[in-house]
Structure formats: structure tokens, C-alpha cells
Amino acid sequence: MIKYKLLAVDLDGTLLSRSKRISKSNFESLKAYTNQGGIPVITTGRSIVSAEKYAIAVARYTNTKSEYVIAFNGAYIKNIKTGQVNDAKIPHKIALELKEFALKNKLVLWAYTQYSTERKAVYVTKSFVNLIVWFGKGVNLLKLKDGIDDLSSYKINIMSFSKNKISKVLKFLQEKYSDKLTFSYSHPRLIEINFKNIDKGYGIKFVANKLKIKQQDIAAIGDSNNDLPSFIVANLKIAVKTKSDILKSKATYYLDYKKNAVAHAINKYILDNQVNEIKLVASDLDGTLLKNGSKEIDLATKNTVHELVDKYHKYFVVCTGRSIDDTLIVANYFQVKNRKNLFAICVNGGCIYDVANQRYLFEKVMEPDLAKQVINIFHHFENNKTREKQIAIEAFIDYDNDSLITQKKQIHYLINKKFIYNYYVSRHPGMLKNFWAPREHKLIDENMPLNKVMKFIMHFESLNDKARMSALLEKYKYDYEISSSSKHNIEIMPLNVSKGKALERLCNYLNIDIKQTMPIGDEKNDISMLSLSSHSITFKSSSESVRKSAGHVLDEETSTIVNKAIQSYVFNR
């Protein structure tokens, strides 16, 4: 659970750009914050009309229901869901005194009353063209005339273009109204005036109390002196580039820039680092996500992957040596709504598949002469008198000119089909009928399309035979990628095709740092991806070479490790 549950965010000079917009980076960081359970609260000196507009925009982007917004420096606090308002106004009599003082001293004054706010307007002592810059589009200027029945105001601003003059005005007003008003400023030439004890800090404490959030769980981000009360209330205070030395001195952290400052502050100081850092989980299939010889996925794992993708908006990748048809059966099993975050790496990296858009991002086949060479090597070994027991070879074929698989039917070319069937059925009962997608089997002969081979698998009954074949293939290591997915097989792919290479290609496509991934696997064909990230996971029961390549080794059962890894290292539970 995230430490800082409430985040008070200032608007001008902090969340907003010079064009008064929220950048995509700032939106994304707020989304990540809400995904971890945080509640952002717009806290501004602006009117409720403007503040609520930005609060709703944040809520829509983060797919959350905005609850509270703090406007007029804490004088107007609105529960957006219920419409309930808590407000505090400068009394009519004092407001009139301030108006007369401004007119007498040739100062510009504008007041936010209930009447003007309801009409998206503001009372101004004189028509001043440059004030349009302050208010922005869509705000009407009402001339502040004598005889107004109710000038009680949420906030009154007084401005002068002389810094020296405005500082003297502030000193005078503070001495005269110290027991009646609160003064702050967000600009060197502007004084912001509220009722006594009303400021951003008051607003934050009010909201925190309503949400039952402790002061130690509050963070605030701002750039002006009117954010000082926020910093007094918050436990974590982050100042964005400012000329205010006092704001800097009160800040826990200071960012000497404004562009995307909120994004940087949230990502660096507020988000749970582990949840923020891991953006993609890539899981092996057989022996990791699935129990060997079964299509069963642990229910807790299913729910965790669902939460990972749909709630936290992380990427999940099924990464396997199998063909796309088998892989999609598993991918679709999760029934996630956010399918754009679901991908498949198949045939040990021979293809990368975009599940949401049903298209291939990458695919590669073996050169025909190299495919022929593998078959010759197999036949030579098969006919060797030193061979102890049965061996077989299986070829994964890209049989369509435009894509790898165009229908739910695979073609596998085999030698010694009976041995392969006996081998798998004897060790994994029900695997063929219960899990594998329908496939057509053909014998490897002169009719097999050598220009469409994606991968060969050699199967061995004898581990001695496998060891001798591995030694034989060593001299061909510059022609192929050679690995294995069980102690009884050897997998041969085109050069530069592996799960690790495919994961790098996918991360590049998604603009994710490979260090922000958590690969999970159990066999040698997983080493290429396990070695890419310090967050990688394998089993305590895996071979030594696999354990050495992983960042973490868990003592978990097959099919529960994915759930345990995500819960522990992504959700930090």
C-alpha cells in the first residue's frame, strides 16, 4: 500500500504548463498514483469553477471518481460526488473596507463572491485589460460598483505593478486585520486575502479528516508562498522551481524545474518504488504458469494476473516455446478487459504477438540451407551405432505466406511420431487431448517446406544421447540459437531468436526499460530473458545455470510461483 495516501497538488506553476494544460507525463504519474490507492486533491487559489474542471479531467484520465477539490486557498471545499460544500467568506463589511482602500490607493482589486462565482464571473474595481491574463478564457469581469448588497467574498485579490508598493500594502493590511484575515501571495505583485485561519492547509486538514487520513500520510506539491500552509500540514513537502526561499527551506525535496515536475516528484518520491519500477511481467508457460502436463492455471494466479493488467495497468506476456495457438488458449483464459496490455512471445522468440490487435509484431524463420543442415545432423546421429535409445525431431512450420498461424490448426512435421507421443503421454497424461490446440502432423520428408521452419525440437529418451548431441551441436553455435525446455530435449532456433531477444524487442516497441521487467521461468530456454533483469524469478528446484541467471529464487510449487512473484515483488504485499 502506498505510504502517502493524500496528495495535495497546486495548479499554476506546478501541475499546469504555461499554456494552462496538464501534460501527459503529469497525467500518467497521477494515474500511477491512483492505481496504488492514492487520492490526488487539486488545491489551488483559483475559483471553484476552474479548479473543479481540472479535478474532473484528472479523474477521467485516471479512471477514478474525484471526490474533493479545494479552491480559493481553502475557502471553498467541494465534495464533487455529493455536491456538498464547506466554505468561509470574508464578511461584507470588511470586503467593502478593502474595496475603498484599493480605490483610494489606486490598486486593482477583484473579489470572488457567491453571486459572481455562480455566474463564472469576478468583481473588479476597474476594467483592466491585462486582468484577462489572470483569469483566462470564459471568465466574465463585473464592474465593482457602489451599492452591492453582499460583497462577502471567498477570496479577494489586490494587485499593483509596483513590488515596493505591494509590499507596503501587505504590511499595512496585516497590521490592521491580523485578527480578522489571512494573507498570502502567489505572485510578487499580488496579495491573496481570505477569512481568518483559512488557507490551503486548512482545506487539506478538512479533506484528510473527512477521508480519515492521518497527517503522516499526506504529501503536498507547490511552488508559491500560498503553498506554505500546505507544507505545514503535509508530512512530505515537494517544492517546484520557485523564487521563495522560505518555501524552499520548508520543503522535504526541491525540484529546480517546472516542466513535468509533478510527474518526477510522484515517480521519484511518492510511488511505491517496486510497484512503479516493474511495468511488465513475462511468464514462461510449461512448468511455470502451468503445471507440467496440464492446462490448469491456479485460480489465485488468474486473479492476480487480472489485477495486474486491469487494475494496475501493467503488461503481462506469455513467453513460451509453444506455437501461437497453444499460447492464445492460455492468454484468453485470463479474460482481462485491458487486452492492449496482453502480449505473447511464441516459439522461443520466433514471433511476438499483439493479442488485442491480433497481429504479429515480429516473426522469423530459419534459412533453408540451415534447416536442411539440422535434419542431416539428426539423421547422422540417428544412424550412429552409439545411440542408446529412441530419438525424434519435430519442426515448427510457418505454413502461411503472410503470417505464422491463420487458423486454429497447427502443422508439425515429425520423425518418429510414435516415440514423441509415447514420451509425452507417458510423462504427462492427457496433455495432447486436454491442452494442445488441434494440429496436423506430417512426416519430415522431401516435401517439407524448408523455407518455413521456425524451430526444431530434438527429443531424447536417453540423457546420454542428449549429452552427445549437445556436444555435436557446439560447433554449430554460430549458425543457431540452441537451448532446451526440458531435460529430454534440445531446441534449435534461427540465430538471434530467443525469449530474451524477443522480450528486448517487445520492450523497445512498448518504450519500456528492460530493467523494469520481471521475467519468470524454470528452464534453460528461459535464461536469455531471466538474465536481463534483476527482478527475474525462478524456482529453487531449477538447474544451477537457471538459478544463477535469475534475480530471485523462490521455493514455490509449479503454477503458484507467478502469483507469489507478482504479489511479493510487484504489489509489495
Side-chain angles (χ1 to χ4, degrees):
M1 181 64 68
I2 196 166
K3 181 177 180 180
Y4 299 104
K5 299 176 183 178
L6 188 153
L7 174 62
V9 186
D10 173 50
L11 284 178
D12 296 285
T14 304
L15 182 62
L16 303 183
S17 65
R18 288 185 178 181
S19 60
K20 306 305 177 185
R21 296 181 178 181
I22 303 175
S23 70
K24 184 176 181 180
S25 293
N26 284 344
F27 265 133
E28 284 292 328
S29 67
L30 288 169
K31 185 176 182 178
Y33 175 68
T34 59
N35 284 342
Q36 292 188 22
I39 302 172
V41 178
I42 298 299
T43 307
T44 179
R46 285 188 176 219
S47 72
I48 184 59
V49 176
S50 177
E52 187 173 8
K53 177 185 71 173
Y54 287 110
I56 292 172
V58 169
R60 286 176 178 170
Y61 194 93
T62 59
N63 197 29
T64 59
K65 292 183 179 179
S66 180
E67 192 162 357
Y68 286 96
V69 58
I70 299 171
F72 297 130
N73 286 340
Y76 197 106
I77 306 168
K78 182 176 181 179
N79 185 317
I80 298 175
K81 290 198 297 186
T82 65
Q84 186 175 359
V85 172
N86 181 81
D87 61 7
K89 299 173 187 172
I90 298 170
H92 174 71
K93 181 181 178 182
I94 297 178
L96 285 177
E97 291 176 4
L98 292 173
K99 185 198 80 168
E100 295 303 322
F101 174 80
L103 291 172
K104 181 179 179 181
N105 290 277
K106 297 181 180 180
L107 299 166
V108 179
L109 175 146
W110 62 95
Y112 296 91
T113 68
Q114 182 174 339
Y115 176 89
S116 66
T117 299
E118 290 173 350
R119 289 156 180 76
K120 297 182 180 181
V122 60
Y123 280 114
V124 187
T125 52
K126 58 190 288 188
S127 296
F128 199 84
V129 177
N130 286 349
L131 283 178
I132 299 297
V133 177
W134 290 85
F135 302 129
K137 297 179 181 179
V139 178
N140 300 314
L141 304 183
L142 303 177
K143 191 172 181 180
L144 191 53
K145 302 177 181 178
D146 293 332
I148 293 177
D149 293 331
D150 185 10
L151 193 58
S152 56
S153 304
Y154 299 116
K155 188 179 77 160
I156 292 176
N157 290 344
I158 293 179
M159 184 181 75
S160 171
F161 285 101
S162 169
K163 290 183 181 180
N164 184 50
K165 185 175 183 179
I166 204 71
S167 63
K168 292 180 180 179
V169 168
L170 176 61
K171 184 177 180 180
F172 172 82
L173 293 176
Q174 285 177 325
E175 291 175 354
K176 184 175 181 179
Y177 296 102
S178 60
D179 61 338
K180 297 181 177 67
L181 300 174
T182 297
F183 300 88
S184 61
Y185 54 98
S186 57
H187 190 276
R189 298 179 177 86
L190 176 71
I191 301 171
E192 298 179 66
I193 307 171
N194 291 95
F195 189 58
K196 183 64 178 176
N197 295 326
I198 298 300
D199 53 33
K200 289 185 178 182
Y202 163 81
I204 295 169
K205 284 193 290 185
F206 179 90
V207 172
N209 183 59
K210 289 290 184 180
L211 297 175
K212 298 181 179 179
I213 294 175
K214 298 177 181 178
Q215 185 173 350
Q216 66 191 41
D217 298 326
I218 299 173
I221 306 177
D223 74 314
S224 301
N225 279 352
N226 68 348
D227 294 307
L228 279 170
S230 301
F231 281 22
I232 293 172
V233 171
N235 184 18
L236 176 69
K237 331 117 183 355
I238 302 173
V240 175
K241 189 174 183 179
T242 179
K243 293 181 179 179
S244 172
D245 292 331
I246 187 170
L247 191 71
K248 291 179 187 179
S249 67
K250 298 294 182 181
T252 311
Y253 300 104
Y254 176 63
L255 304 179
D256 192 26
Y257 50 86
K258 288 185 178 291
K259 186 176 180 180
N260 297 326
V262 170
H264 297 157
I266 291 175
N267 292 335
K268 188 170 184 179
Y269 302 118
I270 297 176
L271 291 180
D272 183 300
N273 289 332
Q274 193 71 16
V275 176
N276 180 47
E277 188 172 10
I278 298 174
K279 295 183 178 180
L280 181 152
V281 176
S283 174
D284 171 50
L285 197 52
D286 297 289
T288 303
L289 190 60
L290 301 174
K291 294 180 180 180
N292 276 320
S294 171
K295 69 174 181 179
E296 295 178 7
I297 296 178
D298 179 70
L299 182 59
T301 300
K302 178 183 178 180
N303 293 336
T304 295
V305 171
H306 203 285
E307 185 178 7
L308 178 84
V309 176
D310 284 344
K311 182 178 180 180
Y312 289 98
H313 304 283
K314 306 290 185 181
Y315 293 97
F316 186 75
V317 184
V318 178
C319 202
T320 178
R322 294 193 182 209
S323 297
I324 186 63
D325 293 357
D326 291 340
T327 310
L328 287 180
I329 291 175
V330 177
N332 291 327
Y333 172 79
F334 292 111
Q335 298 179 321
V336 297
K337 295 178 181 179
N338 188 20
R339 290 174 69 83
K340 65 182 179 64
N341 281 24
L342 200 60
F343 291 86
I345 291 174
C346 310
V347 200
N348 281 346
C351 71
I352 305 172
Y353 188 75
D354 180 343
V355 175
N357 296 304
Q358 299 181 358
R359 65 190 180 97
Y360 293 90
L361 303 178
F362 172 81
E363 52 186 309
K364 187 173 182 178
V365 296
M366 197 174 290
E367 293 293 331
D369 57 331
L370 294 177
K372 181 64 176 177
Q373 182 173 256
V374 172
I375 296 172
N376 290 338
I377 292 170
F378 174 83
H379 282 309
H380 177 76
F381 190 89
E382 183 185 31
N383 296 324
N384 195 302
K385 293 181 180 180
T386 61
R387 177 172 60 83
E388 296 180 357
K389 294 184 179 181
Q390 291 190 87
I391 64 172
I393 189 169
E394 182 180 6
F396 285 60
I397 299 296
D398 172 5
Y399 65 87
D400 183 82
N401 290 329
D402 300 315
S403 63
L404 296 175
I405 303 294
T406 56
Q407 52 186 310
K408 291 292 179 281
K409 186 177 181 181
Q410 305 174 24
I411 295 180
H412 283 207
Y413 282 78
L414 308 168
I415 287 180
N416 202 344
K417 180 172 68 174
K418 181 179 179 181
F419 160 61
I420 294 177
Y421 276 23
N422 288 340
Y423 172 76
Y424 279 116
V425 172
S426 65
R427 289 164 177 75
H428 314 302
M431 178 182 250
L432 289 177
K433 68 175 183 178
N434 288 338
F435 182 71
W436 281 359
R439 53 168 52 86
E440 179 181 351
H441 292 91
K442 296 183 178 181
L443 291 176
I444 292 179
D445 56 23
E446 65 276 3
N447 296 318
M448 190 186 85
L450 294 173
N451 62 330
K452 297 182 179 181
V453 176
M454 300 191 68
K455 181 180 79 167
F456 286 104
I457 303 181
M458 293 183 182
H459 302 274
F460 304 85
E461 274 193 304
S462 166
L463 294 181
N464 289 333
D465 286 341
K466 178 185 175 181
R468 283 193 289 271
M469 176 61 83
S470 295
L472 178 62
L473 290 172
E474 181 65 22
K475 67 178 181 179
Y476 299 100
K477 63 182 180 181
Y478 298 110
D479 294 332
Y480 312 97
E481 294 291 337
I482 301 170
S483 188
S484 69
S485 55
S486 84
K487 65 179 182 179
H488 285 275
N489 74 28
I490 294 175
E491 299 185 324
I492 305 171
M493 289 76 63
L495 196 64
N496 292 321
V497 168
S498 66
K499 290 184 181 182
K501 291 289 185 182
L503 187 57
E504 287 180 315
R505 291 183 176 103
L506 179 59
C507 285
N508 185 57
Y509 172 78
L510 297 173
N511 195 29
I512 294 175
D513 191 321
I514 196 68
K515 295 178 181 178
Q516 296 176 304
T517 67
M518 187 171 73
I520 310 172
D522 68 317
E523 285 289 349
K524 290 183 179 179
N525 66 343
D526 298 313
I527 291 176
S528 61
M529 67 173 183
L530 293 175
S531 60
L532 295 174
S533 172
S534 61
H535 301 299
S536 59
I537 307 284
T538 193
F539 296 87
K540 187 177 181 180
S541 59
S542 298
S543 68
E544 184 180 2
S545 60
V546 176
R547 293 198 306 271
K548 284 184 176 180
S549 67
H552 303 280
V553 178
L554 302 185
D555 188 10
E556 285 291 316
E557 295 292 328
T558 301
S559 81
T560 64
I561 192 169
V562 174
N563 175 53
K564 177 67 174 179
I566 294 174
Q567 290 286 340
S568 299
Y569 297 102
V570 181
F571 298 160
N572 199 29
R573 293 173 182 169

